[in-house]
Amino acid sequence: MTTQDMLDERYGRTRSPHRRWVIGAAVAVAAIVVGLFVWTTVANSLDAVDVDTTGFEVVDEHSVILSFQFTAPVGRSVACAIEAQDEEHGVVGWRVVELPASQDHVQAFRETISTTAPATTGFVNACWVT
């Protein structure tokens, strides 16, 4: 008889198979939760689009040319919401640009935004895989 068995017998402790099932179930649930977390992280990063505004040019009081580049999954088309704002950060022009799929990981574009008032800046609000 081992020391642990002698102590269990002396103090009336018994080993329960129920406890093993509870621990096993807890470990299984934890493994499933970690697996789901890893999968959602990987799945979200597969369709991630990283965009940078590289410049803008105020052409006149009714248009802005916006230069930007993005990194997207190869072979997937992308849509971007682009904006022009006035000096008080009010939106004076915007549009959604649909960009075709490409075999290049990084792509650069120049797009014109029509404005309703003079703009002082242009930028990309968001891009997503379509």
Side-chain angles (χ1 to χ4, degrees), residues 57-116:
E57 175 187 346
V58 178
V59 177
D60 57 26
E61 62 185 22
H62 297 292
S63 63
V64 173
I65 296 176
L66 179 65
S67 301
F68 62 97
Q69 68 180 17
F70 64 83
T71 305
V74 173
R76 303 288 302 268
S77 59
V78 173
C80 292
I82 57 177
E83 285 187 14
Q85 292 185 352
D86 62 10
E87 61 187 24
E88 296 175 356
H89 301 290
V91 177
V92 294
W94 70 273
R95 65 185 265 220
V96 174
V97 180
E98 294 186 15
L99 305 163
S102 173
Q103 295 304 314
D104 295 328
H105 191 59
V106 178
Q107 299 177 55
F109 291 93
R110 287 176 52 93
E111 295 290 334
T112 302
I113 306 169
S114 298
T115 61
T116 58

Short mmCIF file of all heavy atoms in Angstrom, two decimals, residues 57-116:
data_model
loop_
_atom_site.label_atom_id
_atom_site.label_comp_id
_atom_site.label_asym_id
_atom_site.label_seq_id
_atom_site.Cartn_x
_atom_site.Cartn_y
_atom_site.Cartn_z
N GLU A 57 -5.29 64.93 -53.73
CA GLU A 57 -5.08 66.18 -54.45
C GLU A 57 -6.45 66.84 -54.65
O GLU A 57 -7.34 66.25 -55.26
CB GLU A 57 -4.44 65.89 -55.80
CG GLU A 57 -4.29 67.09 -56.69
CD GLU A 57 -3.81 66.71 -58.09
OE1 GLU A 57 -3.35 65.58 -58.28
OE2 GLU A 57 -3.92 67.57 -58.97
N VAL A 58 -6.62 68.04 -54.10
CA VAL A 58 -7.86 68.78 -54.31
C VAL A 58 -7.75 69.42 -55.69
O VAL A 58 -6.96 70.33 -55.91
CB VAL A 58 -8.05 69.85 -53.21
CG1 VAL A 58 -9.32 70.64 -53.46
CG2 VAL A 58 -8.09 69.20 -51.83
N VAL A 59 -8.56 68.91 -56.63
CA VAL A 59 -8.50 69.38 -58.01
C VAL A 59 -9.19 70.73 -58.14
O VAL A 59 -8.64 71.68 -58.68
CB VAL A 59 -9.15 68.34 -58.96
CG1 VAL A 59 -9.15 68.86 -60.40
CG2 VAL A 59 -8.43 67.02 -58.85
N ASP A 60 -10.41 70.81 -57.65
CA ASP A 60 -11.18 72.05 -57.64
C ASP A 60 -12.23 71.92 -56.53
O ASP A 60 -12.16 70.99 -55.73
CB ASP A 60 -11.81 72.36 -59.01
CG ASP A 60 -12.69 71.24 -59.52
OD1 ASP A 60 -13.25 70.47 -58.70
OD2 ASP A 60 -12.85 71.12 -60.75
N GLU A 61 -13.19 72.83 -56.51
CA GLU A 61 -14.17 72.78 -55.42
C GLU A 61 -15.18 71.66 -55.57
O GLU A 61 -16.01 71.45 -54.68
CB GLU A 61 -14.89 74.13 -55.29
CG GLU A 61 -15.68 74.52 -56.51
CD GLU A 61 -16.26 75.91 -56.37
OE1 GLU A 61 -15.75 76.72 -55.58
OE2 GLU A 61 -17.23 76.17 -57.08
N HIS A 62 -15.09 70.89 -56.65
CA HIS A 62 -16.05 69.81 -56.86
C HIS A 62 -15.42 68.43 -57.02
O HIS A 62 -16.11 67.47 -57.35
CB HIS A 62 -16.91 70.11 -58.09
CG HIS A 62 -17.75 71.33 -57.92
ND1 HIS A 62 -18.79 71.39 -57.03
CD2 HIS A 62 -17.67 72.55 -58.50
CE1 HIS A 62 -19.34 72.60 -57.08
NE2 HIS A 62 -18.66 73.32 -57.96
N SER A 63 -14.12 68.30 -56.78
CA SER A 63 -13.50 66.98 -56.90
C SER A 63 -12.16 66.89 -56.18
O SER A 63 -11.44 67.88 -56.04
CB SER A 63 -13.33 66.59 -58.37
OG SER A 63 -12.45 67.46 -59.00
N VAL A 64 -11.87 65.67 -55.75
CA VAL A 64 -10.62 65.33 -55.07
C VAL A 64 -10.12 64.03 -55.69
O VAL A 64 -10.91 63.11 -55.93
CB VAL A 64 -10.84 65.13 -53.55
CG1 VAL A 64 -9.59 64.61 -52.87
CG2 VAL A 64 -11.30 66.41 -52.90
N ILE A 65 -8.83 63.96 -55.95
CA ILE A 65 -8.24 62.70 -56.41
C ILE A 65 -7.53 62.06 -55.23
O ILE A 65 -6.68 62.69 -54.58
CB ILE A 65 -7.25 62.93 -57.57
CG1 ILE A 65 -7.99 63.49 -58.79
CG2 ILE A 65 -6.55 61.62 -57.93
CD1 ILE A 65 -7.08 63.85 -59.95
N LEU A 66 -7.90 60.83 -54.94
CA LEU A 66 -7.36 60.10 -53.79
C LEU A 66 -6.45 58.98 -54.27
O LEU A 66 -6.81 58.21 -55.16
CB LEU A 66 -8.52 59.51 -52.97
CG LEU A 66 -8.16 58.70 -51.75
CD1 LEU A 66 -7.48 59.59 -50.71
CD2 LEU A 66 -9.40 58.06 -51.16
N SER A 67 -5.25 58.91 -53.70
CA SER A 67 -4.31 57.82 -53.99
C SER A 67 -4.25 56.92 -52.76
O SER A 67 -4.12 57.41 -51.63
CB SER A 67 -2.91 58.37 -54.27
OG SER A 67 -2.94 59.26 -55.35
N PHE A 68 -4.34 55.61 -53.00
CA PHE A 68 -4.28 54.67 -51.89
C PHE A 68 -3.78 53.33 -52.38
O PHE A 68 -3.77 53.05 -53.58
CB PHE A 68 -5.65 54.52 -51.21
CG PHE A 68 -6.74 53.98 -52.10
CD1 PHE A 68 -7.06 52.63 -52.08
CD2 PHE A 68 -7.44 54.82 -52.94
CE1 PHE A 68 -8.07 52.14 -52.89
CE2 PHE A 68 -8.45 54.34 -53.74
CZ PHE A 68 -8.77 53.00 -53.73
N GLN A 69 -3.32 52.53 -51.44
CA GLN A 69 -2.90 51.16 -51.74
C GLN A 69 -3.45 50.24 -50.68
O GLN A 69 -3.69 50.66 -49.55
CB GLN A 69 -1.39 51.05 -51.83
CG GLN A 69 -0.66 51.22 -50.53
CD GLN A 69 0.83 51.10 -50.71
OE1 GLN A 69 1.36 51.20 -51.80
NE2 GLN A 69 1.53 50.90 -49.60
N PHE A 70 -3.67 49.00 -51.06
CA PHE A 70 -4.16 48.03 -50.09
C PHE A 70 -3.50 46.68 -50.30
O PHE A 70 -3.02 46.37 -51.38
CB PHE A 70 -5.70 47.91 -50.12
CG PHE A 70 -6.25 47.40 -51.42
CD1 PHE A 70 -6.31 46.04 -51.68
CD2 PHE A 70 -6.74 48.28 -52.36
CE1 PHE A 70 -6.83 45.58 -52.87
CE2 PHE A 70 -7.26 47.83 -53.54
CZ PHE A 70 -7.31 46.46 -53.80
N THR A 71 -3.49 45.92 -49.24
CA THR A 71 -3.01 44.55 -49.25
C THR A 71 -4.22 43.67 -49.02
O THR A 71 -4.93 43.84 -48.04
CB THR A 71 -1.98 44.33 -48.14
OG1 THR A 71 -0.94 45.28 -48.28
CG2 THR A 71 -1.41 42.93 -48.17
N ALA A 72 -4.47 42.75 -49.96
CA ALA A 72 -5.65 41.90 -49.88
C ALA A 72 -5.29 40.49 -50.32
O ALA A 72 -4.24 40.27 -50.94
CB ALA A 72 -6.75 42.47 -50.78
N PRO A 73 -6.17 39.52 -50.04
CA PRO A 73 -5.92 38.16 -50.50
C PRO A 73 -5.85 38.10 -52.04
O PRO A 73 -6.61 38.79 -52.73
CB PRO A 73 -7.13 37.38 -49.99
CG PRO A 73 -7.69 38.20 -48.89
CD PRO A 73 -7.38 39.61 -49.22
N VAL A 74 -4.94 37.32 -52.55
CA VAL A 74 -4.75 37.18 -53.99
C VAL A 74 -6.01 36.54 -54.60
O VAL A 74 -6.57 35.60 -54.05
CB VAL A 74 -3.50 36.32 -54.29
CG1 VAL A 74 -3.37 36.01 -55.76
CG2 VAL A 74 -2.25 37.01 -53.77
N GLY A 75 -6.44 37.09 -55.73
CA GLY A 75 -7.57 36.52 -56.45
C GLY A 75 -8.93 36.90 -55.89
O GLY A 75 -9.93 36.33 -56.29
N ARG A 76 -9.00 37.84 -54.97
CA ARG A 76 -10.27 38.26 -54.38
C ARG A 76 -10.53 39.72 -54.73
O ARG A 76 -9.63 40.55 -54.66
CB ARG A 76 -10.24 38.13 -52.85
CG ARG A 76 -9.92 36.75 -52.31
CD ARG A 76 -11.03 35.74 -52.49
NE ARG A 76 -12.27 36.12 -51.87
CZ ARG A 76 -12.64 35.79 -50.64
NH1 ARG A 76 -11.84 35.06 -49.90
NH2 ARG A 76 -13.80 36.19 -50.17
N SER A 77 -11.75 40.04 -55.13
CA SER A 77 -12.10 41.43 -55.42
C SER A 77 -12.33 42.17 -54.10
O SER A 77 -12.68 41.57 -53.09
CB SER A 77 -13.33 41.51 -56.31
OG SER A 77 -14.42 40.88 -55.70
N VAL A 78 -12.14 43.48 -54.14
CA VAL A 78 -12.20 44.31 -52.94
C VAL A 78 -13.08 45.52 -53.23
O VAL A 78 -13.10 46.03 -54.35
CB VAL A 78 -10.78 44.77 -52.53
CG1 VAL A 78 -10.81 45.76 -51.40
CG2 VAL A 78 -9.93 43.57 -52.17
N ALA A 79 -13.81 45.97 -52.23
CA ALA A 79 -14.56 47.21 -52.31
C ALA A 79 -14.03 48.14 -51.22
O ALA A 79 -13.70 47.70 -50.12
CB ALA A 79 -16.05 46.96 -52.12
N CYS A 80 -13.95 49.44 -51.56
CA CYS A 80 -13.46 50.43 -50.60
C CYS A 80 -14.42 51.62 -50.55
O CYS A 80 -14.90 52.07 -51.59
CB CYS A 80 -12.08 50.94 -51.00
SG CYS A 80 -10.77 49.72 -50.87
N ALA A 81 -14.70 52.09 -49.35
CA ALA A 81 -15.46 53.31 -49.16
C ALA A 81 -14.46 54.45 -49.02
O ALA A 81 -13.64 54.44 -48.10
CB ALA A 81 -16.34 53.21 -47.91
N ILE A 82 -14.51 55.41 -49.94
CA ILE A 82 -13.59 56.54 -49.91
C ILE A 82 -14.38 57.82 -49.64
O ILE A 82 -15.54 57.93 -50.04
CB ILE A 82 -12.75 56.63 -51.20
CG1 ILE A 82 -13.64 56.73 -52.45
CG2 ILE A 82 -11.84 55.41 -51.33
CD1 ILE A 82 -12.87 56.90 -53.74
N GLU A 83 -13.74 58.78 -48.96
CA GLU A 83 -14.42 59.99 -48.52
C GLU A 83 -13.57 61.23 -48.78
O GLU A 83 -12.35 61.17 -48.80
CB GLU A 83 -14.67 59.97 -47.01
CG GLU A 83 -15.75 59.08 -46.55
CD GLU A 83 -16.03 59.24 -45.06
OE1 GLU A 83 -15.57 60.23 -44.44
OE2 GLU A 83 -16.73 58.38 -44.52
N ALA A 84 -14.28 62.34 -48.94
CA ALA A 84 -13.66 63.66 -48.95
C ALA A 84 -14.34 64.47 -47.85
O ALA A 84 -15.56 64.40 -47.68
CB ALA A 84 -13.84 64.34 -50.29
N GLN A 85 -13.54 65.21 -47.07
CA GLN A 85 -14.10 65.99 -45.97
C GLN A 85 -13.68 67.44 -46.09
O GLN A 85 -12.63 67.76 -46.67
CB GLN A 85 -13.63 65.43 -44.62
CG GLN A 85 -14.20 64.07 -44.30
CD GLN A 85 -13.80 63.61 -42.91
OE1 GLN A 85 -12.98 64.23 -42.23
NE2 GLN A 85 -14.38 62.50 -42.48
N ASP A 86 -14.50 68.32 -45.50
CA ASP A 86 -14.16 69.74 -45.47
C ASP A 86 -13.33 70.03 -44.21
O ASP A 86 -12.99 69.12 -43.45
CB ASP A 86 -15.41 70.62 -45.55
CG ASP A 86 -16.36 70.42 -44.38
OD1 ASP A 86 -16.00 69.75 -43.38
OD2 ASP A 86 -17.49 70.93 -44.47
N GLU A 87 -13.00 71.30 -43.99
CA GLU A 87 -12.13 71.64 -42.87
C GLU A 87 -12.78 71.41 -41.51
O GLU A 87 -12.08 71.35 -40.50
CB GLU A 87 -11.64 73.08 -42.99
CG GLU A 87 -12.74 74.12 -42.99
CD GLU A 87 -12.21 75.51 -43.30
OE1 GLU A 87 -11.15 75.63 -43.94
OE2 GLU A 87 -12.87 76.46 -42.89
N GLU A 88 -14.09 71.25 -41.45
CA GLU A 88 -14.77 70.96 -40.19
C GLU A 88 -15.06 69.47 -40.04
O GLU A 88 -15.88 69.06 -39.23
CB GLU A 88 -16.05 71.77 -40.09
CG GLU A 88 -15.80 73.26 -40.03
CD GLU A 88 -17.07 74.07 -40.05
OE1 GLU A 88 -18.17 73.50 -40.19
OE2 GLU A 88 -16.96 75.30 -39.93
N HIS A 89 -14.43 68.65 -40.86
CA HIS A 89 -14.55 67.20 -40.86
C HIS A 89 -15.95 66.72 -41.26
O HIS A 89 -16.35 65.61 -40.93
CB HIS A 89 -14.14 66.59 -39.51
CG HIS A 89 -12.74 66.92 -39.13
ND1 HIS A 89 -11.66 66.40 -39.79
CD2 HIS A 89 -12.26 67.74 -38.19
CE1 HIS A 89 -10.56 66.88 -39.26
NE2 HIS A 89 -10.89 67.71 -38.28
N GLY A 90 -16.66 67.54 -41.98
CA GLY A 90 -17.94 67.13 -42.54
C GLY A 90 -17.70 66.41 -43.85
O GLY A 90 -16.84 66.79 -44.65
N VAL A 91 -18.46 65.36 -44.11
CA VAL A 91 -18.31 64.60 -45.35
C VAL A 91 -18.94 65.41 -46.49
O VAL A 91 -20.14 65.71 -46.45
CB VAL A 91 -18.97 63.21 -45.23
CG1 VAL A 91 -18.87 62.46 -46.55
CG2 VAL A 91 -18.33 62.42 -44.11
N VAL A 92 -18.14 65.76 -47.49
CA VAL A 92 -18.64 66.51 -48.64
C VAL A 92 -18.63 65.68 -49.91
O VAL A 92 -19.10 66.12 -50.95
CB VAL A 92 -17.83 67.81 -48.85
CG1 VAL A 92 -18.05 68.77 -47.69
CG2 VAL A 92 -16.35 67.53 -49.04
N GLY A 93 -18.14 64.45 -49.81
CA GLY A 93 -18.17 63.53 -50.95
C GLY A 93 -17.74 62.15 -50.51
O GLY A 93 -16.89 62.01 -49.64
N TRP A 94 -18.36 61.14 -51.10
CA TRP A 94 -17.96 59.76 -50.80
C TRP A 94 -18.46 58.87 -51.90
O TRP A 94 -19.38 59.22 -52.65
CB TRP A 94 -18.47 59.28 -49.45
CG TRP A 94 -19.96 59.08 -49.41
CD1 TRP A 94 -20.90 60.02 -49.13
CD2 TRP A 94 -20.66 57.87 -49.69
NE1 TRP A 94 -22.15 59.47 -49.23
CE2 TRP A 94 -22.03 58.15 -49.57
CE3 TRP A 94 -20.27 56.59 -50.04
CZ2 TRP A 94 -23.01 57.19 -49.78
CZ3 TRP A 94 -21.24 55.63 -50.26
CH2 TRP A 94 -22.59 55.93 -50.11
N ARG A 95 -17.85 57.72 -52.00
CA ARG A 95 -18.31 56.69 -52.92
C ARG A 95 -17.69 55.36 -52.55
O ARG A 95 -16.69 55.30 -51.83
CB ARG A 95 -18.03 57.06 -54.36
CG ARG A 95 -16.57 57.14 -54.73
CD ARG A 95 -16.38 57.63 -56.14
NE ARG A 95 -16.23 56.49 -57.04
CZ ARG A 95 -15.38 56.48 -58.04
NH1 ARG A 95 -14.64 57.53 -58.32
NH2 ARG A 95 -15.27 55.43 -58.81
N VAL A 96 -18.32 54.31 -53.03
CA VAL A 96 -17.79 52.96 -52.84
C VAL A 96 -17.19 52.54 -54.17
O VAL A 96 -17.87 52.57 -55.20
CB VAL A 96 -18.89 51.97 -52.39
CG1 VAL A 96 -18.33 50.56 -52.34
CG2 VAL A 96 -19.44 52.38 -51.04
N VAL A 97 -15.93 52.15 -54.13
CA VAL A 97 -15.21 51.75 -55.33
C VAL A 97 -15.04 50.24 -55.28
O VAL A 97 -14.53 49.70 -54.29
CB VAL A 97 -13.82 52.43 -55.38
CG1 VAL A 97 -13.07 52.03 -56.62
CG2 VAL A 97 -13.95 53.92 -55.28
N GLU A 98 -15.47 49.56 -56.33
CA GLU A 98 -15.27 48.11 -56.43
C GLU A 98 -14.06 47.86 -57.31
O GLU A 98 -14.01 48.29 -58.46
CB GLU A 98 -16.52 47.44 -56.97
CG GLU A 98 -17.69 47.58 -56.01
CD GLU A 98 -18.91 46.80 -56.46
OE1 GLU A 98 -18.78 45.94 -57.35
OE2 GLU A 98 -19.98 47.07 -55.91
N LEU A 99 -13.09 47.16 -56.75
CA LEU A 99 -11.82 46.92 -57.44
C LEU A 99 -11.72 45.45 -57.79
O LEU A 99 -12.04 44.57 -56.98
CB LEU A 99 -10.67 47.36 -56.54
CG LEU A 99 -10.81 48.82 -56.06
CD1 LEU A 99 -9.92 49.09 -54.88
CD2 LEU A 99 -10.52 49.76 -57.20
N PRO A 100 -11.28 45.14 -59.00
CA PRO A 100 -11.28 43.75 -59.47
C PRO A 100 -10.23 42.89 -58.76
O PRO A 100 -9.26 43.39 -58.21
CB PRO A 100 -10.95 43.89 -60.96
CG PRO A 100 -10.15 45.15 -61.04
CD PRO A 100 -10.74 46.06 -60.00
N ALA A 101 -10.45 41.59 -58.85
CA ALA A 101 -9.50 40.63 -58.29
C ALA A 101 -8.19 40.71 -59.09
O ALA A 101 -8.19 41.03 -60.28
CB ALA A 101 -10.08 39.22 -58.37
N SER A 102 -7.10 40.43 -58.40
CA SER A 102 -5.79 40.50 -59.04
C SER A 102 -4.89 39.40 -58.47
O SER A 102 -5.15 38.89 -57.39
CB SER A 102 -5.16 41.87 -58.78
OG SER A 102 -3.83 41.90 -59.25
N GLN A 103 -3.86 39.09 -59.21
CA GLN A 103 -2.88 38.13 -58.72
C GLN A 103 -1.80 38.81 -57.89
O GLN A 103 -0.90 38.16 -57.37
CB GLN A 103 -2.25 37.38 -59.90
CG GLN A 103 -3.24 36.50 -60.64
CD GLN A 103 -3.93 35.51 -59.71
OE1 GLN A 103 -3.29 34.85 -58.89
NE2 GLN A 103 -5.25 35.42 -59.81
N ASP A 104 -1.88 40.14 -57.77
CA ASP A 104 -0.93 40.90 -56.95
C ASP A 104 -1.47 41.01 -55.53
O ASP A 104 -2.65 41.27 -55.32
CB ASP A 104 -0.71 42.30 -57.51
CG ASP A 104 -0.05 42.27 -58.88
OD1 ASP A 104 0.76 41.35 -59.11
OD2 ASP A 104 -0.35 43.16 -59.70
N HIS A 105 -0.59 40.84 -54.57
CA HIS A 105 -0.97 40.94 -53.15
C HIS A 105 -1.20 42.39 -52.75
O HIS A 105 -2.09 42.69 -51.97
CB HIS A 105 0.13 40.29 -52.30
CG HIS A 105 -0.23 40.09 -50.88
ND1 HIS A 105 -1.29 39.32 -50.49
CD2 HIS A 105 0.34 40.56 -49.75
CE1 HIS A 105 -1.36 39.33 -49.17
NE2 HIS A 105 -0.38 40.07 -48.70
N VAL A 106 -0.41 43.30 -53.30
CA VAL A 106 -0.52 44.73 -53.01
C VAL A 106 -0.90 45.45 -54.30
O VAL A 106 -0.32 45.19 -55.35
CB VAL A 106 0.82 45.30 -52.47
CG1 VAL A 106 0.71 46.79 -52.23
CG2 VAL A 106 1.24 44.59 -51.21
N GLN A 107 -1.90 46.33 -54.19
CA GLN A 107 -2.35 47.09 -55.36
C GLN A 107 -2.47 48.56 -54.99
O GLN A 107 -2.80 48.90 -53.86
CB GLN A 107 -3.72 46.58 -55.82
CG GLN A 107 -3.72 45.12 -56.23
CD GLN A 107 -5.10 44.67 -56.61
OE1 GLN A 107 -5.74 45.26 -57.46
NE2 GLN A 107 -5.58 43.62 -55.97
N ALA A 108 -2.22 49.43 -55.97
CA ALA A 108 -2.33 50.88 -55.76
C ALA A 108 -3.32 51.44 -56.76
O ALA A 108 -3.39 51.00 -57.91
CB ALA A 108 -0.97 51.54 -55.93
N PHE A 109 -4.10 52.43 -56.31
CA PHE A 109 -5.14 53.03 -57.15
C PHE A 109 -5.20 54.53 -56.93
O PHE A 109 -4.81 55.04 -55.89
CB PHE A 109 -6.52 52.43 -56.83
CG PHE A 109 -6.65 51.00 -57.25
CD1 PHE A 109 -6.39 49.98 -56.36
CD2 PHE A 109 -7.06 50.68 -58.54
CE1 PHE A 109 -6.51 48.67 -56.75
CE2 PHE A 109 -7.18 49.36 -58.93
CZ PHE A 109 -6.91 48.35 -58.03
N ARG A 110 -5.75 55.23 -57.94
CA ARG A 110 -6.09 56.65 -57.85
C ARG A 110 -7.55 56.76 -58.28
O ARG A 110 -7.91 56.31 -59.36
CB ARG A 110 -5.21 57.50 -58.76
CG ARG A 110 -3.80 57.66 -58.26
CD ARG A 110 -2.91 58.43 -59.23
NE ARG A 110 -3.44 59.71 -59.66
CZ ARG A 110 -3.17 60.88 -59.07
NH1 ARG A 110 -2.39 60.90 -58.01
NH2 ARG A 110 -3.67 62.01 -59.54
N GLU A 111 -8.37 57.35 -57.44
CA GLU A 111 -9.80 57.48 -57.72
C GLU A 111 -10.23 58.92 -57.48
O GLU A 111 -9.72 59.60 -56.58
CB GLU A 111 -10.62 56.56 -56.82
CG GLU A 111 -10.39 55.08 -57.05
CD GLU A 111 -10.94 54.59 -58.38
OE1 GLU A 111 -11.91 55.19 -58.90
OE2 GLU A 111 -10.41 53.60 -58.89
N THR A 112 -11.18 59.37 -58.27
CA THR A 112 -11.73 60.72 -58.14
C THR A 112 -13.01 60.67 -57.32
O THR A 112 -13.87 59.82 -57.55
CB THR A 112 -12.02 61.32 -59.52
OG1 THR A 112 -10.80 61.33 -60.27
CG2 THR A 112 -12.55 62.74 -59.40
N ILE A 113 -13.14 61.60 -56.38
CA ILE A 113 -14.34 61.72 -55.56
C ILE A 113 -15.00 63.05 -55.90
O ILE A 113 -14.38 64.11 -55.78
CB ILE A 113 -14.00 61.70 -54.06
CG1 ILE A 113 -13.17 60.48 -53.69
CG2 ILE A 113 -15.28 61.77 -53.22
CD1 ILE A 113 -12.58 60.54 -52.30
N SER A 114 -16.24 63.01 -56.35
CA SER A 114 -16.99 64.24 -56.59
C SER A 114 -17.45 64.79 -55.25
O SER A 114 -17.87 64.03 -54.37
CB SER A 114 -18.20 63.95 -57.47
OG SER A 114 -17.78 63.47 -58.72
N THR A 115 -17.39 66.12 -55.10
CA THR A 115 -17.75 66.74 -53.82
C THR A 115 -18.87 67.75 -54.02
O THR A 115 -19.05 68.30 -55.11
CB THR A 115 -16.54 67.42 -53.18
OG1 THR A 115 -16.07 68.46 -54.05
CG2 THR A 115 -15.42 66.44 -52.91
N THR A 116 -19.59 68.01 -52.95
CA THR A 116 -20.67 69.00 -52.97
C THR A 116 -20.21 70.36 -52.49
O THR A 116 -20.93 71.34 -52.65
CB THR A 116 -21.84 68.53 -52.09
OG1 THR A 116 -21.36 68.33 -50.75
CG2 THR A 116 -22.43 67.24 -52.62
#
